[in-house]
Amino acid sequence: MNEALLRSLTPSVLGILVRRGADFAAAEDAVQDALVEAVRVWPADPPQDPKGWLVTVAWRRFLDATRADTARRRREDLVDEEPAPGPAPAVDDTLQLYFLCAHPSLTPSSAVALTLRAVGGLTTRQIARAYLVPEATMAQRISRAKRTVSGVRFDQPGDVATVLRVLYLVFNEGYSGDVDLAAEAIRLTRQLAAAIDHPEVAGLLALMLLHHARRAARTAPDGSLVPLAEQDRGRWDTESIAEGVEILQAALARDRLGEFQAQAAIAALHADAPTAEETDWVQIVEWYDELARLTDSPVVRLNRAVAVGEADGPRAGLAALAALDDSLPRHAAVAAYLHERDGDLATAARLYAEAAQKAPNLAERDHLTRQAARLNARGCR
């Protein structure tokens, strides 16, 4: 069973059902039923037109559910519109669905969560981790969003800011998580940049390109993480870096600074440094100050503490870290790094081990465990 194929077809099938009159929640349930049926049937009898097969089965499941609903009379005219099996139109509805899910009846945070779950393919746990909330809280938020849009006609698309937030979170999950969605996020952001002249769209595209350019160097052959300072910069994609910098410079020239442009500027400074030692940390701290002003995000302030530690010394970084809640994700890892830089290896080893227990994925956990073991081994000598 080709799970990647099913994942890639889901947004288009969902979009077709919505355009044919299905409300979003019912359409999503019908598509999920069709996907389950595909997993059962396709291995023994693969269809010639997978997308057409999914549309037909999903539409029938939607109609079956509709007939049993209290809105039977209002929906009965849809029965005669059942599409005949056959090739489905080759239309990419994914970006349109992102806008439709960002519906005005939803708060931005609920719209983002719903889109990530229904269209982006992320699990509730992955979305909760991105939002720094418990999984149960996020599950309730998504359920409320589904109830809010149930029965709503999706003819009022949401705003660009919400769609950008979704694309950003999808890229982050694809870049560092268990599901590879980074390339899809870049593709959709390119589409959006071609359709809308907006500096923050350009800023997000530049940010994605600059981060994606380093992807080949982020892991060793055995799959272990390679920290930025230790990466082989010869493996970075110079064409993507050049494109990202060019897009960023054009966006910054418009003097409408936003958070994605500021993040891209930080990424560009890392990409511009021939070696880790030549990184312009002072300027990076200045950009983090701008980013903190724009977002007031504790995660931004956590990353700023690392930059301060590089620019002004580890004790300055630890002082900046002391003002932050130690329950923040990766707080212990940052503290461990700064304590190691300051020469307190015992504290650093303990914090690396603590950070490993809280790591969001296996690769990061293994990396932090190795860091703790390395320092403990040095302490035993």
Side-chain angles (χ1 to χ4, degrees), residues 306-325:
V306 177
V308 169
E310 298 289 354
D312 301 326
R315 293 194 178 180
L318 287 167
L321 189 65
L324 301 175
D325 187 341

Side-chain angles (χ1 to χ4, degrees), residues 52-66:
W53 189 97
L54 286 171
V55 169
T56 299
V57 173
W59 186 251
R60 286 173 177 165
R61 294 299 173 93
F62 165 69
L63 292 178
D64 288 344
T66 299

Side-chain angles (χ1 to χ4, degrees), residues 67-130:
R67 293 188 187 101
D69 192 79
T70 56
R72 177 194 303 267
R73 293 181 182 177
R74 185 167 58 87
R75 305 284 192 180
E76 280 180 348
D77 58 339
L78 295 174
V79 175
D80 297 330
E81 299 176 15
E82 180 179 340
V91 178
D92 185 356
D93 298 303
T94 308
L95 190 58
Q96 181 188 10
L97 276 176
Y98 273 60
F99 273 96
L100 293 177
C101 286
H103 196 272
S105 64
L106 296 172
T107 64
S109 61
S110 294
V112 171
L114 177 63
T115 313
L116 289 172
R117 184 70 186 92
V119 188
L122 273 65
T123 65
T124 303
R125 176 175 296 179
Q126 290 168 326
I127 302 168
R129 190 171 68 224

Side-chain angles (χ1 to χ4, degrees), residues 92 94-96 98-99 160 163-164 167-168 171 181-198 200-213 237-248:
D92 185 356
T94 308
L95 190 58
Q96 181 188 10
Y98 273 60
F99 273 96
V160 175
V163 173
L164 289 179
L167 289 169
Y168 173 69
F171 177 81
L181 296 169
E184 174 69 358
I186 291 174
R187 183 183 72 84
L188 293 173
T189 306
R190 282 191 187 279
Q191 286 185 9
L192 189 57
I196 299 176
D197 184 19
H198 192 297
E200 272 294 82
V201 176
L204 179 58
L205 179 57
L207 175 64
M208 289 179 175
L209 290 170
L210 289 164
H211 277 306
H212 207 60
D237 183 345
T238 55
E239 289 186 6
S240 291
I241 291 173
E243 182 185 5
V245 169
E246 181 180 359
I247 292 171
L248 173 63

Side-chain angles (χ1 to χ4, degrees), residues 147-373:
R147 288 196 299 271
T148 299
V149 299
S150 180
V152 170
R153 294 290 300 189
F154 278 71
D155 53 3
Q156 301 178 59
D159 65 354
V160 175
T162 300
V163 173
L164 289 179
R165 177 63 50 190
V166 175
L167 289 169
Y168 173 69
L169 292 174
V170 169
F171 177 81
N172 279 349
E173 192 60 47
Y175 188 68
S176 61
D178 303 320
V179 181
D180 186 358
L181 296 169
E184 174 69 358
I186 291 174
R187 183 183 72 84
L188 293 173
T189 306
R190 282 191 187 279
Q191 286 185 9
L192 189 57
I196 299 176
D197 184 19
H198 192 297
E200 272 294 82
V201 176
L204 179 58
L205 179 57
L207 175 64
M208 289 179 175
L209 290 170
L210 289 164
H211 277 306
H212 207 60
R214 302 200 301 259
R215 188 167 190 176
R218 290 185 73 247
T219 55
D222 62 359
S224 60
L225 290 180
V226 180
L228 176 61
E230 301 172 17
Q231 288 176 16
D232 178 1
R233 300 185 178 218
R235 298 184 66 196
W236 289 0
D237 183 345
T238 55
E239 289 186 6
S240 291
I241 291 173
E243 182 185 5
V245 169
E246 181 180 359
I247 292 171
L248 173 63
Q249 288 175 337
L252 291 175
R254 301 177 66 175
D255 198 23
R256 290 169 54 193
L257 184 64
E259 63 172 296
F260 295 124
Q261 294 170 70
Q263 287 192 57
I266 294 169
L269 286 167
H270 283 297
D272 188 54
T275 65
E277 292 73 23
E278 296 173 85
T279 303
D280 189 346
W281 286 106
V282 172
Q283 193 173 169
I284 287 176
V285 171
E286 292 174 355
W287 276 112
Y288 270 122
D289 288 339
E290 288 287 345
L291 189 55
R293 179 182 61 80
L294 289 165
T295 66
D296 195 29
S297 164
V299 175
V300 168
R301 296 187 186 280
L302 183 70
N303 291 331
R304 179 186 178 277
V306 177
V308 169
E310 298 289 354
D312 301 326
R315 293 194 178 180
L318 287 167
L321 189 65
L324 301 175
D325 187 341
D326 61 9
S327 66
L328 276 172
R330 297 187 172 89
H331 184 284
V334 170
Y337 174 74
L338 292 171
H339 277 291
E340 181 182 358
R341 289 274 321 280
D342 195 40
D344 187 352
L345 303 189
T347 299
R350 175 179 59 78
L351 288 169
Y352 275 131
E354 178 184 326
Q357 295 177 353
K358 301 176 181 177
N361 56 65
L362 181 61
E364 190 169 336
R365 185 183 70 190
D366 288 348
H367 170 72
L368 292 167
T369 300
R370 283 194 294 271
Q371 296 294 86

